[in-house]
Amino acid sequence: MKIKTTGLILTLCFFGAALCFADDPQMSTSKPNESKSKVTPGTEKVKPTYISLVQFTDKGIQGAKQTTQRVAAWAAKVQSMGVTIKQMYWTLGQYDQVCIFEAPDDETAASVLLAADMLGNIRTQTMRAFTASEMEKILAKVP
């Protein structure tokens, strides 16, 4: 029963996050979930999207009053590596935060997450997210 409840809570959190994204005026409405960064003039590349489920450690919960400042400082620090925080949600339930971000590649995403975890305030579980067009390319390769 506990597993079903946890699954339901996570599902509701993700649907809630999707609804918040849909209503976010800062998000582009031309192609949802298709964030692009310029590589060279005339060419564009879609940056991979990642979703991190974040839990506070004992140290992190003791410093919870500074959580928004820590996120802002981390976002500014990793921006120079091509990482963009698309949205950060503070949540109820098993996870304390859900972070949606873009990075140039898996290696960069892993390195910034490792750096964040090493500070000792959080532990993360991260998933690579695929847009509909990325999923179409994946499906086209299925034998």
Side-chain angles (χ1 to χ4, degrees):
M1 182 67 169
K2 185 176 180 179
I3 293 173
K4 287 182 181 179
T5 304
T6 301
L8 178 61
I9 290 170
L10 283 175
T11 301
L12 291 174
C13 286
F14 282 113
F15 281 126
L19 290 174
C20 289
F21 256 126
D23 293 336
D24 190 343
Q26 295 177 359
M27 297 299 293
S28 170
T29 56
S30 59
K31 284 191 173 184
N33 300 323
E34 295 285 340
S35 300
K36 297 182 179 184
S37 63
K38 297 280 183 183
V39 176
T40 57
T43 63
E44 295 181 349
K45 181 183 178 202
V46 176
K47 287 171 62 172
T49 300
Y50 303 87
I51 300 170
S52 287
L53 303 176
V54 182
Q55 291 180 310
F56 289 137
T57 61
D58 288 341
K59 178 182 174 184
I61 199 67
Q62 289 173 1
K65 287 186 177 183
Q66 292 79 36
T67 185
T68 57
Q69 291 89 358
R70 286 195 306 259
V71 168
W74 183 73
K77 184 175 184 176
V78 299
Q79 187 175 15
S80 65
M81 299 174 70
V83 175
T84 305
I85 308 302
K86 300 307 287 182
Q87 194 67 39
M88 176 67 82
Y89 297 99
W90 283 260
T91 57
L92 301 174
Q94 182 178 358
Y95 297 97
D96 301 303
Q97 297 171 311
V98 174
C99 179
I100 302 165
F101 68 99
E102 295 176 334
D105 50 55
D106 291 346
E107 292 81 5
T108 303
S111 68
V112 298
L113 288 166
L114 182 59
D117 286 358
M118 288 172 62
L119 295 174
N121 295 305
I122 61 169
R123 292 293 171 253
T124 58
Q125 291 185 355
T126 302
M127 301 165 279
R128 169 69 163 87
F130 297 95
T131 64
S133 62
E134 289 171 318
M135 193 63 200
E136 289 294 333
K137 290 177 186 175
I138 292 167
L139 293 171
K141 294 179 181 182
V142 174

